[in-house]
Amino acid sequence: MEDELDKIVFQYLKKKGFTQTEQILQQEKQNKNNKNANDASDSDLTKQILTFSESENIPAMYHDGYSKLRSWTYSSLDEYKHELLRVLYPVFIHCFMDLIAKSHLQEARAFFDTFREDHEMMHSRDLKKLAGVLCPSHLDEMEFAHTLRQSKVNIKICQYSYELLLQYLHNTKSITMLGIINEHINFQVSPGQPSSISDDAEAFSLVGSGQDAANLINQKEIHWGLLEDTIEDRLDKAGGLLSDSEKTEGDAKEGELDENKKKSAEGGKQGGPLKKLKKDKVGAAAVKGAKGEGDKSAAAPRVKPELTLPTIPTDVENSILEDLRNRVQLSNTTLPSVCFYTFINTHNGLNCSSISHDGSLVVGGFSDSSLKVWDVAKLGRMGSSMLQSENDSGLNENTLGSNGGKRAYTLYQGHSGPVYSASFSPWGDFLLSSSSDSTVRLWSTKFNANIVCYKGHNYPVWDVQFSPLGHYFASASHDRTARIWSMDRVQPLRILAGHLSDVDCVQWHVNCNYVATGSSDKTIRMWDVSSGNCMRIFIGHRSSILCLAMSHDGRYLASGDEDGTIMMWDVSSGRCITPLMGHTSCVWSLAFSCEGSLLASGSADSSVKLWDVNTSVKPPKSEDTKNGNTNRLRSVKTLHTKSTPVYSLRFSRRNLLFASGALSANL
């Protein structure tokens, strides 16, 4: 009726020629219509806000909303289901914490117990921590819960899965679930087909507000190459002269072989020289292998040291050159020989073990604050000579037992708490140990004595590691810091602070310019030794990092965590190449072979696994992508012990793999 009346008035004004009046009336009518439209939209918005507010105040809305989202996700097409399932865990934990924050304690506990089983396999450690949240104050007091509340979850998802999720949330008007997803989830949407199920480990990460800072840090330039003028380079340069001399010797020995064959045919015993010649040929092949490795490492850039590095003694350098000449080239078809040292009768007192670079010395750190060092070369000769005369000049208080007999080991005592880590110097003449007494001690393996006690940490020191060239070392502690030291100073050179929880492990870069640290905050950081600045933050693990290993060309970093997951990182970009899934318990030790083709991992599941590294840096084949097999770093071999968890691993310079562990009666 009102529209018809307006129409008649406009016709009358137009007929009489009142054009200006007609325009004013039309403008007023248009303004009135816009106002009505705005009022209507404001009314709808008010209704939505009231609905959301009501849903927040009703605990049942959280339960029903999550239950419906869960049912819809599990009933989705298999092609998209595994991507959509990634959304459930962050929604679950934030529904629980929201209910706690609103003091709906009984409803929160019922919600947690109802849906907890869905996430036990992937997030059991996190759920155990969340189970301790019993009241609103715990959300602020408990560091883990507080971090989750302040965090956003990065989830990788394809475009179609993302659109399916949004369509479901809008069609069902799930305001509560939509609010949680909007506030706590950051979707990384990618075009194309969904990622494979094997990529789930790297497609989900809980990160705090520092993610942007981490991305900024990872853009810093890092020089990951090898040092200039290494021993390997010198061997490679001298290789031509070495080959010529060997060639001359080989020609002479061929003449000897012909003569020996004649004598052998005549009945003479000449097997010895023949065997010697075969051995020499094997040695010549090993030299070629060493040169081949030199050519491969030549591709890595060369960098200058930022620290004043110690000089290598001539006798040590000659020993290293001899090892390099006899190095065995390993690959996925040529696997290493493994020597396993088993500690028996430790009565659960062994906390750590370490092996020297040549495998000749083995040390164990014990809960009674002692260290015991075994000289492997002497073990076989102990036998009947265990008891010797007290006049033997080689005996002292470190090697004599309580009854005057000679021990099979050398006892080092000085710490006042359990020993958690030990590390031999590259040449085996020194030993470092760290303890719960917050100190690091330096021992001489030549004089069997404590030389220095380094004090600086305020809490237990979990790990200590010598640099690849000795003199400098790094320590990691419960006080959330790592520290750089030199043997000639009792105070640390650098304090590396930035982790949010315990620093559990530390590892030097091969060029000694950087140090990597792994923490209970589930991150790994790489630090510049000269400046103390953080150069990389590696984010992706779901539990505490227990061990680190650096490839011998300095480009790759491997890390192992409490859940049994190993991750391989590209140092230059700060990105994870691929996760390695296979261990069923904590990964305690990692080691790269000398040419970097294999990675060895030792675990509490009483096994050593060998992984093919070379295939990991190649792009995936199209058929592998179609089959969902994008986990390109594959396990080549698994070596099981009877019941001995693997504490430590070490590749010698000749590529022999040493391992150690304590026999456990509980397995």
Side-chain angles (χ1 to χ4, degrees):
M1 187 67 181
E2 185 177 353
D3 291 340
E4 292 179 358
L5 184 59
D6 290 339
K7 188 176 181 180
I8 293 172
V9 172
F10 287 138
Q11 288 176 351
Y12 175 78
L13 293 175
K14 187 175 182 180
K15 183 178 179 180
K16 294 296 182 181
F18 299 138
T19 307
Q20 188 175 1
T21 306
E22 179 186 2
Q23 291 176 350
I24 293 173
L25 284 175
Q26 286 180 343
Q27 185 66 36
E28 289 180 354
K29 182 179 179 182
Q30 186 175 359
N31 291 339
K32 183 179 179 181
N33 291 337
N34 290 340
K35 183 179 179 181
N36 292 336
N38 290 335
D39 291 343
S41 63
D42 289 344
S43 177
D44 292 341
L45 181 61
T46 302
K47 290 180 180 178
Q48 290 184 0
I49 292 174
L50 288 173
T51 303
F52 182 66
S53 177
E54 290 174 0
S55 67
E56 282 196 314
N57 293 327
I58 302 176
M61 293 296 292
Y62 283 91
H63 189 285
D64 294 342
Y66 178 80
S67 179
K68 291 177 181 178
L69 175 63
R70 175 178 176 273
S71 299
W72 173 80
T73 303
Y74 277 103
S75 62
S76 300
L77 293 175
D78 291 341
E79 186 175 4
Y80 307 102
K81 182 190 296 184
H82 69 276
E83 283 197 338
L84 296 171
L85 284 173
R86 297 170 186 165
V87 180
L88 290 183
Y89 177 66
V91 173
F92 165 74
I93 59 177
H94 285 290
C95 282
F96 169 70
M97 288 190 291
D98 282 356
L99 289 171
I100 291 288
K102 299 177 189 304
S103 298
H104 299 294
L105 305 182
Q106 293 183 353
E107 293 86 348
R109 184 54 52 189
F111 175 84
F112 187 80
D113 294 339
T114 301
F115 301 109
R116 173 178 183 170
E117 187 176 352
D118 294 344
H119 312 286
E120 279 285 355
M121 181 177 295
M122 297 295 294
H123 306 280
S124 59
R125 295 182 184 275
D126 290 350
L127 293 177
K128 289 178 181 177
K129 295 177 182 178
L130 285 175
V133 178
L134 304 175
C135 64
S137 62
H138 288 176
L139 295 175
D140 295 323
E141 295 170 359
M142 187 181 294
E143 182 179 352
F144 177 69
H146 180 72
T147 301
L148 289 177
R149 295 277 285 178
Q150 304 299 320
S151 298
K152 269 206 167 187
V153 179
N154 282 340
I155 293 181
K156 295 180 181 179
I157 194 171
C158 77
Q159 182 69 36
Y160 195 75
S161 298
Y162 179 68
E163 292 175 355
L164 281 175
L165 178 63
L166 289 184
Q167 185 180 11
Y168 164 79
L169 293 172
H170 286 295
N171 290 345
T172 57
K173 297 181 180 179
S174 302
I175 304 298
T176 307
M177 299 298 104
L178 183 60
I180 291 175
I181 291 173
N182 180 64
E183 185 177 357
H184 297 289
I185 297 181
N186 177 35
F187 288 104
Q188 298 177 348
V189 183
S190 60
Q193 294 297 315
S195 58
S196 67
I197 297 179
S198 62
D199 291 338
D200 277 2
E202 59 181 346
F204 176 98
S205 59
L206 268 174
V207 296
S209 57
Q211 178 63 38
D212 293 336
N215 293 335
L216 188 63
I217 288 174
N218 289 348
Q219 293 175 6
K220 295 181 181 179
E221 184 180 7
I222 194 167
H223 303 287
W224 55 267
L226 301 175
L227 289 174
E228 297 175 344
D229 194 28
T230 61
I231 296 180
E232 287 88 346
D233 291 340
R234 291 176 221 164
L235 176 65
D236 189 44
K237 291 176 183 177
L241 296 175
L242 188 63
S243 294
D244 291 340
S245 63
E246 285 185 352
K247 186 177 181 180
T248 304
E249 293 176 8
D251 292 338
K253 287 173 182 175
E254 284 182 6
E256 292 177 9
L257 176 60
D258 293 336
E259 186 178 351
N260 291 335
K261 283 184 177 179
K262 292 178 182 178
K263 292 182 178 180
S264 178
E266 296 172 359
K269 284 189 176 181
Q270 299 296 336
L274 184 60
K275 291 181 180 178
K276 187 174 187 298
L277 177 62
K278 290 181 179 179
K279 184 177 180 181
D280 290 336
K281 286 186 176 181
V282 173
V287 173
K288 287 185 179 180
K291 290 179 190 174
E293 182 198 347
D295 294 338
K296 183 178 178 181
S297 62
R302 293 301 191 260
V303 299
K304 294 182 179 180
E306 297 179 2
L307 297 173
T308 303
L309 298 178
T311 56
I312 303 175
T314 304
D315 58 334
V316 173
E317 184 173 336
N318 292 335
S319 175
I320 294 174
L321 286 170
E322 182 66 22
D323 287 339
L324 293 178
R325 291 190 185 100
N326 291 280
R327 175 177 293 173
V328 178
Q329 290 294 101
L330 302 179
S331 66
N332 57 0
T333 56
T334 307
L335 301 181
S337 299
V338 184
C339 177
F340 200 103
Y341 299 126
T342 303
F343 293 81
I344 59 175
N345 300 323
T346 60
H347 307 292
N348 296 324
L350 182 69
N351 294 330
C352 65
S353 68
S354 183
I355 305 165
S356 62
H357 287 256
D358 59 359
S360 62
L361 298 175
V362 182
V363 62
F366 292 85
S367 297
D368 63 1
S369 74
S370 68
L371 291 114
K372 297 176 182 179
V373 179
W374 284 262
D375 188 334
V376 178
K378 296 179 181 178
L379 284 179
R381 301 199 299 266
M382 294 300 290
S384 60
S385 61
M386 283 291 287
L387 298 177
Q388 297 185 5
S389 170
E390 293 183 3
N391 296 326
D392 191 335
S393 60
L395 300 181
N396 56 43
E397 61 180 358
N398 292 332
T399 57
L400 281 174
S402 57
N403 59 357
K406 188 176 180 182
R407 296 192 187 100
Y409 56 84
T410 303
L411 181 65
Y412 293 168
Q413 291 180 312
H415 284 293
S416 59
V419 178
Y420 290 127
S421 179
S423 174
F424 284 102
S425 64
W427 328 131
D429 50 349
F430 294 104
L431 173 67
L432 285 169
S433 61
S434 66
S435 167
S436 66
D437 62 11
S438 74
T439 67
V440 175
R441 288 182 179 266
L442 179 69
W443 311 81
S444 170
T445 57
K446 181 178 180 180
F447 300 107
N448 297 329
N450 182 215
I451 302 175
V452 188
C453 178
Y454 301 94
K455 298 179 180 179
H457 287 290
N458 302 318
Y459 292 95
V461 184
W462 302 128
D463 194 19
V464 63
Q465 292 292 329
F466 260 113
S467 73
L469 294 178
H471 188 67
Y472 300 98
F473 59 94
S475 59
S477 172
H478 177 60
D479 61 13
R480 304 183 182 183
T481 68
R483 303 183 186 220
I484 308 296
W485 311 74
S486 65
M487 290 172 55
D488 56 351
R489 297 188 181 183
V490 294
Q491 297 297 326
L493 305 179
R494 293 286 183 273
I495 297 177
L496 311 177
H499 281 293
L500 304 178
S501 187
D502 294 37
V503 183
D504 296 314
C505 53
V506 64
Q507 180 65 46
W508 285 83
H509 193 274
V510 289
N511 62 24
C512 300
N513 292 336
Y514 305 99
V515 166
T517 55
S519 170
S520 295
D521 65 11
K522 306 177 186 178
T523 67
I524 304 159
R525 290 175 179 251
M526 183 166 282
W527 311 81
D528 188 315
V529 172
S530 63
S531 65
N533 294 329
C534 181
M535 304 298 292
R536 289 288 182 272
I537 300 180
F538 305 98
I539 298 175
H541 280 282
R542 299 184 185 178
S543 60
S544 301
I545 290 91
L546 301 181
C547 58
L548 299 169
M550 191 72 65
S551 65
H552 286 264
D553 63 356
R555 184 172 182 178
Y556 302 111
L557 173 69
S559 56
D561 65 20
E562 280 187 340
D563 291 337
T565 301
I566 303 168
M567 287 192 172
M568 183 93 156
W569 308 89
D570 188 331
V571 170
S572 59
S573 65
R575 295 182 178 179
C576 177
I577 298 174
T578 185
L580 290 74
M581 316 296 289
H583 285 294
T584 58
S585 188
C586 309
V587 178
W588 281 340
S589 185
L590 293 167
F592 279 95
S593 61
C594 293
E595 76 293 322
S597 62
L598 295 177
L599 173 68
S601 59
S603 170
D605 63 11
S606 302
S607 71
V608 175
K609 286 183 178 290
L610 297 173
W611 309 84
D612 185 1
V613 175
N614 289 332
T615 56
S616 70
V617 297
K618 299 177 182 178
K621 297 179 181 179
S622 57
E623 56 267 23
D624 291 340
T625 304
K626 291 178 182 178
N627 297 333
N629 183 24
T630 58
N631 187 5
R632 301 184 301 278
L633 199 60
R634 58 190 180 88
S635 176
V636 178
K637 184 79 172 177
T638 301
L639 306 170
H640 294 281
T641 66
K642 186 174 182 181
S643 58
T644 305
V646 183
Y647 283 34
S648 65
L649 295 169
R650 165 87 68 187
F651 273 99
S652 72
R653 296 187 186 95
R654 300 191 182 194
N655 262 340
L656 173 64
L657 178 58
F658 293 100
S660 64
L663 184 67
S664 176
N666 298 326
L667 295 179

